[in-house]
Amino acid sequence: MRHDARLTAFTPKLVTVLGEGYSVDRFRRDALAGLTVAIVALPLAMALAIASGASPDKGLVTAIVAGLLISGLGGSRVQVGGPTGAFVVVVFNVIAQHGYDGLLLATMMAGLILIVAGYSGLGSLVRFIPQPVVTGFTAGIAVIIASSQVKDFLGLSMKVVPADFFPKWQAYFSALGSTQGVTLAIGAGSLALILALRKWAPRWPGFLIAVVVAAALVALMHLPVDTIGSRFPDLPRGLPAPTLPEISLAKLQSVMSPAFTIAFLAGIEALLSAVVADGMIGSRHRSNQELVGQGVANLASALFGGLPATGAIARTATNIKAGAITPVAGMMHALFLLLFVLLASDLMAYVPLAALAAILFLVAWGMSEHHRFIRLLRMPNGDRMLLLLTFALTVLVDLTVAIGVGVTLASLVFMMRMSATVEIVSDRQAGSDEEGENGEDMRQRDGLPDGVEIFRIDGPIFFGVANELLDTLGRMGPAPKAVILRMRRVPMLDASGVTTIEEIVRQAASSGTAIILSGLQDQPRSMLARVGLSSGSGQVIVCEDFAAASRAAAAIAAAPRASRTRPN
């Protein structure tokens, strides 16, 4: 049974849905949805590639090859994959530092990392990335993407655009006098047309219409603006043959860090997109198989000279709204894009870069999640700090640093909050009328003789509260004959907690005090048994409930105290 469950977890959704039966009507709906998504993805793939420092054909190759495999091998019914805005910053930096061959190698390594992560069962870990961190770095990426498009949108005469945020904007302001009115008009007109279509004709493909109208104006009126053809005069037609990039140990080491960043971003965005899709169609994706599919897709994309790819939330949502019901829709989207590349590549040369910049402004606005960003600013100080710090580090320093610092600080904030929920209460603090665990009455200590102390612990004992437990017991005053630790409400004990219990037992033994553990749950019992602290060890007394612990404590208190030596 367990083997069958594991086999199902690593079965692509395409296999599952085809096994359910695939009719002509289903194919018709999937094909129509695929065509709709291809129309949206066509200008977007080119724009994202240019923003990443690559040629537009690289974005189309990525959308075709990776899009086909993400849908065909992934764990979601309706996921659509391809290049996304999350990769723009990383890809741009990798190309600048290591060349395009370095990017291809990093993407292949990221693919292998994703495959290993999927088969290792790490797909569920996306749940542990806190929302302030995700929103902070996606909003930061949005700011960087929008900033990178100012030159093309305004038509500024700049030989070099600085990579860093503040120097980049200083250069923009210095070059404002070179703004080209025609280019600005094309960009602003494209932006206005897309917004108008979203308002009055939301079902129409606004991105594609804006690009076609802008390209037609440039071609018919011979407008002096930068186009894909003027920026990239030697674009290839069709798909390139698969080739391996140059591989060496030195190069592998140099791109190791960006490879992990690409894998992390691909995994996070793909799984978040799959979760959104689940909510829209009432299905459930297979997270580990989704990672495997993403890994294979990135490997293949790099072999064909493409960019990193992942599940795209906006294109996946468009796919669902267009009526997609199986992964065939995502595969059809890739095939329709392939037809365009084969039959209409020459038309790309007329597309003005200002129109693509307008598209990326809107992509950045959508990525920013401004409503969620503002809402998170109303959260407690810890969440607000995570959001703003991750955002600032993404924009001003580096995406890898932002992710690492954000996740680390989120973990620390969580542990601080968890430690605040753990209570260590003595019977004297609790009062004589407080109810104990499982309905046990704290007044039972009234029947115990002097020399017995009782402490109730509520919550997990982990490294964040281990020292507090030690300090609390250290403030007891004169050493009692027995100490009962009521642990029925302790669900978890980590290595630091075990070490703390060991230290308590050691100190108690040197003072002639017996330690009685009451009501241990399975996990704490197992952890303590690993270090020899079990009922048969002779170091502690383990009782099933408080009544048994009370009887054991009373017997110890009634016996003469054994001679003891206090610790130095």
Side-chain angles (χ1 to χ4, degrees):
M1 184 68 71
R2 181 176 298 179
H3 175 75
D4 291 343
R6 183 168 177 81
L7 186 62
T8 301
F10 290 102
T11 300
K13 278 287 185 175
L14 177 64
V15 175
T16 301
V17 298
L18 292 180
E20 296 170 353
Y22 195 71
S23 62
V24 174
D25 181 62
R26 278 191 161 195
F27 177 76
R28 180 186 60 80
R29 292 175 61 183
D30 282 338
L32 183 59
L35 177 60
T36 304
V37 179
I39 291 171
V40 173
L42 175 62
L44 199 54
M46 294 189 293
L48 289 169
I50 294 172
S52 302
S55 56
D57 61 298
K58 305 300 185 186
L60 292 172
V61 167
T62 307
I64 294 167
V65 175
L68 183 72
L69 293 172
I70 285 173
S71 294
L73 299 179
S76 171
R77 282 179 176 264
V78 289
Q79 180 90 282
V80 174
T84 69
F87 289 124
V88 167
V89 182
V90 178
V91 170
F92 189 91
N93 290 336
V94 175
I95 294 175
Q97 295 174 22
H98 307 285
Y100 200 79
D101 253 20
L103 173 68
L104 296 179
L105 188 57
T107 304
M108 292 181 65
M109 292 171 65
L112 292 173
I113 291 169
L114 285 167
I115 292 172
V116 172
Y119 283 122
S120 300
L122 300 181
S124 60
L125 291 183
V126 68
R127 297 176 299 172
F128 302 106
I129 306 297
Q131 191 61 56
V133 174
V134 174
T135 301
F137 76 71
T138 53
I141 292 170
V143 169
I144 295 173
I145 291 173
S147 298
S148 70
Q149 298 306 300
V150 172
K151 174 182 178 292
D152 288 337
F153 190 80
L154 300 179
L156 301 179
S157 297
M158 301 173 64
K159 292 183 178 179
V160 178
V161 179
D164 294 334
F165 184 74
F166 287 124
K168 178 180 294 184
W169 278 97
Q170 288 174 350
Y172 285 156
F173 283 118
S174 299
L176 275 179
S178 64
T179 299
Q180 298 178 15
V182 176
T183 301
L184 176 58
I186 290 291
S190 300
L191 188 62
L193 178 58
I194 295 170
L195 293 175
L197 289 172
R198 284 187 175 183
K199 182 175 182 179
W200 288 298
R203 291 184 176 274
W204 291 21
F207 286 170
L208 185 64
I209 291 173
V211 165
V212 170
V213 169
L217 286 173
V218 169
L220 295 175
M221 301 178 68
H222 304 287
L223 298 178
V225 299
D226 276 347
T227 64
I228 288 178
S230 64
R231 180 77 62 85
F232 307 98
D234 300 317
L235 285 179
R237 297 189 61 175
L239 286 179
T243 56
L244 280 172
E246 179 187 345
I247 300 175
S248 66
L249 181 59
K251 204 151 194 175
L252 287 170
Q253 292 173 335
S254 66
V255 299
M256 181 67 73
S257 178
F260 273 100
T261 302
I262 291 170
F264 178 83
L265 286 176
I268 290 295
E269 188 165 2
L271 294 176
L272 287 175
S273 177
V275 169
V276 171
D278 286 349
M280 294 179 71
I281 65 174
S283 181
R284 186 176 179 182
H285 73 281
R286 294 164 182 159
S287 57
N288 292 316
Q289 179 57 35
E290 183 64 28
L291 290 184
V292 173
Q294 297 287 334
V296 174
N298 276 278
L299 271 172
S301 178
L303 287 174
F304 281 89
L307 305 170
T310 184
I313 295 175
R315 274 159 277 174
T316 297
T318 302
N319 192 38
I320 295 169
K321 291 175 183 177
I325 50 178
T326 78
V328 173
M331 299 171 71
M332 291 300 297
H333 129 272
L335 294 177
F336 281 122
L337 286 175
L338 177 60
L339 286 177
F340 173 82
V341 169
L342 294 175
L343 303 177
S345 290
D346 292 341
L347 299 178
M348 289 194 300
Y350 297 102
V351 175
L353 297 179
L356 296 181
I359 290 174
L360 286 174
F361 280 152
L362 292 172
V363 169
W365 179 249
M367 281 188 66
S368 69
E369 297 186 295
H370 58 283
H371 293 302
R372 180 172 291 172
F373 195 98
I374 293 171
R375 187 167 65 247
L376 286 171
L377 287 175
R378 304 190 187 106
M379 294 293 108
N381 288 337
D383 295 310
R384 191 159 55 240
M385 176 197 69
L386 283 175
L387 174 72
L388 294 176
L389 184 61
T390 307
F391 173 77
L393 289 174
T394 300
V395 174
L396 302 177
V397 183
D398 180 75
L399 186 60
T400 308
V401 174
I403 294 170
V405 172
V407 172
T408 301
L409 285 181
S411 302
L412 293 175
V413 169
F414 170 76
M415 287 182 285
M416 287 174 57
R417 290 173 175 171
M418 281 296 296
S419 64
T421 66
V422 179
E423 288 188 306
I424 304 168
V425 184
S426 72
D427 60 321
R428 303 183 193 281
Q429 293 172 309
S432 61
D433 58 349
E434 183 175 338
E435 287 290 317
E437 71 261 24
N438 202 25
E440 294 167 354
D441 193 338
M442 289 296 291
R443 287 175 297 180
Q444 290 181 81
R445 83 106 42 234
D446 295 342
L448 292 172
D450 292 336
V452 177
E453 293 288 344
I454 306 170
F455 290 87
R456 189 184 73 244
I457 308 171
D458 290 347
I461 304 177
F462 63 106
F463 61 89
V465 297
N467 287 337
E468 181 185 350
L469 174 60
L470 203 57
D471 293 343
T472 300
L473 296 180
R475 293 193 293 266
M476 286 188 299
K481 290 186 175 181
V483 172
I484 301 176
L485 297 182
R486 304 181 68 176
M487 298 177 63
R488 190 179 299 277
R489 294 178 180 173
V490 177
M492 188 276 293
L493 199 64
D494 74 352
S496 297
V498 170
T499 301
T500 299
I501 299 294
E502 282 186 299
E503 180 62 19
I504 290 170
V505 171
R506 188 191 67 78
Q507 292 183 9
S510 66
S511 301
T513 301
I515 298 295
I516 303 172
L517 306 179
S518 166
L520 285 175
Q521 295 190 33
D522 290 341
Q523 194 273 349
R525 185 189 299 271
S526 173
M527 288 291 287
L528 291 172
R530 294 186 183 195
V531 296
L533 293 179
S534 57
S535 55
S537 66
Q539 300 181 68
V540 295
I541 300 172
V542 179
C543 297
E544 289 299 320
D545 52 36
F546 181 64
S550 298
R551 291 193 294 271
I556 292 170
R561 183 188 289 271
S563 61
R564 63 182 184 273
T565 58
R566 291 189 176 276
N568 295 329

